Amino acid sequence: VTVVVFFIMPAKTNNFNVESLKGQAVRKQMWDTAQSVKEKFGKKLYESLLRGEIPDMSKILDRDDFTIMKRAIYATQRHSLPPVTTHNMLDDSTDPILSNIRRIGLFNGRNDRVKIVFHPESLSSTSPLLPMDYEEFVRGCHLGVFPSYYEPWGYTPGECTVMGIPSVTTNLSGFGCFMEEHDSDPSEYGIYIVDRRFRSADESCNQLTQFMFQF
C-alpha cells in the first residue's frame, strides 16, 4: 500500500515550480489521448452493433491508436524524483513542513511507501495546477488527518464527517474533546481521536499509526 499525503497549508511562495506545471501538462495530454481513443473506440463499437455483429476486439483499435497511447505513456517517464511541493518556496530552508520532510528522508522515491504533495496555498477551482474547491478536494480523499497539539475547535474533522470522509483528530482540539465527552465510540462516525493529553509524543504517534494502519 502506498499512502499519498497532501499538505494543504498557505505559505510564502513566488510561483508554481516548473516540474509541477510539466506534470499537469503531461496529465492533460494523457487525458486528451484517452478521450480521443475512447471516442474512436465507441464509434467503431456502435457501428459494429448496428450491423448486428460482435466486434473483433483485436481489430477495433488500429496501429495509430496504439502509437498515440504509447507516446502518452512515454511522456510520463522522468529521470528525476517528483517534487514534494507544488510551488517555489520563499523560505525553503526554514519551512517546518519541508524541514521535517528532509529530516525523515521522504523525497517521493520509487520505493517510498509514503508520497508527499505539499500545496502551499488555499484550494481554488480556478487554480491552473489543482483546479478544485475545498469540498471537492475533501470528497476525493480517503482520510483526513488533523493531529493538532492544540486547536480551540478545529472545523476540518467535522467538515470531513459532514462530507462522508473519516478523519483523525486529537483530544487537545475542541472538536475531539467534544466528541470524546458526548459519544462513547466516535469511531462509529468515522472519527478517530488520538490521545495527546495523557500520552507521550511517541505513544501518540504510535496510536495515530495504528489508526491509519487499521483504516
Side-chain angles (χ1 to χ4, degrees):
V1 176
T2 297
V3 177
V4 180
V5 179
F6 285 87
F7 290 99
I8 309 295
M9 182 180 296
K12 294 180 180 179
T13 66
N14 60 15
N15 212 331
F16 300 114
N17 64 44
V18 174
E19 287 300 313
S20 296
L21 292 174
K22 284 182 179 178
Q24 177 72 336
V26 169
R27 184 209 63 81
K28 185 178 185 305
Q29 179 187 2
M30 181 167 284
W31 173 260
D32 291 343
T33 298
Q35 293 299 107
S36 174
V37 172
K38 183 179 74 171
E39 184 176 344
K40 191 173 181 180
F41 179 94
K43 184 178 180 181
K44 288 184 177 180
L45 176 62
Y46 175 67
E47 290 173 349
S48 179
L49 294 176
L50 280 179
R51 294 193 299 268
E53 302 172 355
I54 298 297
D56 184 347
M57 301 306 291
S58 64
K59 297 180 180 178
I60 203 164
L61 295 179
D62 57 32
R63 181 176 297 179
D64 290 341
D65 297 323
F66 284 102
T67 298
I68 63 171
M69 287 191 291
K70 287 178 180 178
R71 285 176 181 168
I73 293 172
Y74 183 76
T76 65
Q77 298 179 6
R78 58 191 308 147
H79 302 291
S80 59
L81 298 178
V84 296
T85 180
T86 57
H87 291 60
N88 296 320
M89 303 287 292
L90 291 180
D91 299 321
D92 183 285
S93 60
T94 59
D95 182 83
I97 292 179
L98 292 180
S99 295
N100 278 289
I101 289 172
R102 295 188 189 99
R103 179 178 60 82
I104 58 181
L106 286 178
F107 301 115
N108 291 340
R110 180 179 293 274
N111 297 320
D112 288 342
R113 300 289 294 278
V114 177
K115 311 295 187 187
I116 305 290
V117 180
F118 178 23
H119 187 67
E121 70 173 15
S122 299
L123 294 166
S124 170
S125 58
T126 60
S127 169
L129 190 62
L130 200 61
M132 57 180 67
D133 57 26
Y134 175 72
E135 291 79 8
E136 188 179 6
F137 176 83
V138 170
R139 289 192 176 98
C141 295
H142 293 97
L143 178 70
V145 182
F146 314 102
S148 305
Y149 185 72
Y150 172 73
E151 204 162 11
W153 178 250
Y155 290 101
T156 43
E159 290 167 345
C160 285
T161 302
V162 169
M163 289 184 269
I165 303 300
S167 65
V168 178
T169 183
T170 77
N171 57 3
L172 287 181
S173 71
F175 178 78
C177 287
F178 176 85
M179 291 302 299
E180 205 168 48
E181 291 173 4
H182 291 82
D183 196 288
S184 59
D185 187 10
S187 63
E188 290 184 349
Y189 299 95
I191 300 168
Y192 303 91
I193 301 174
V194 174
D195 184 359
R196 299 201 65 178
R197 181 176 296 178
F198 303 109
R199 297 192 183 194
S200 67
D202 286 343
E203 289 174 330
S204 296
C205 286
N206 289 335
Q207 187 182 21
L208 173 60
T209 302
Q210 192 63 31
F211 282 152
M212 296 181 70
F213 181 76
Q214 291 173 348
F215 178 81

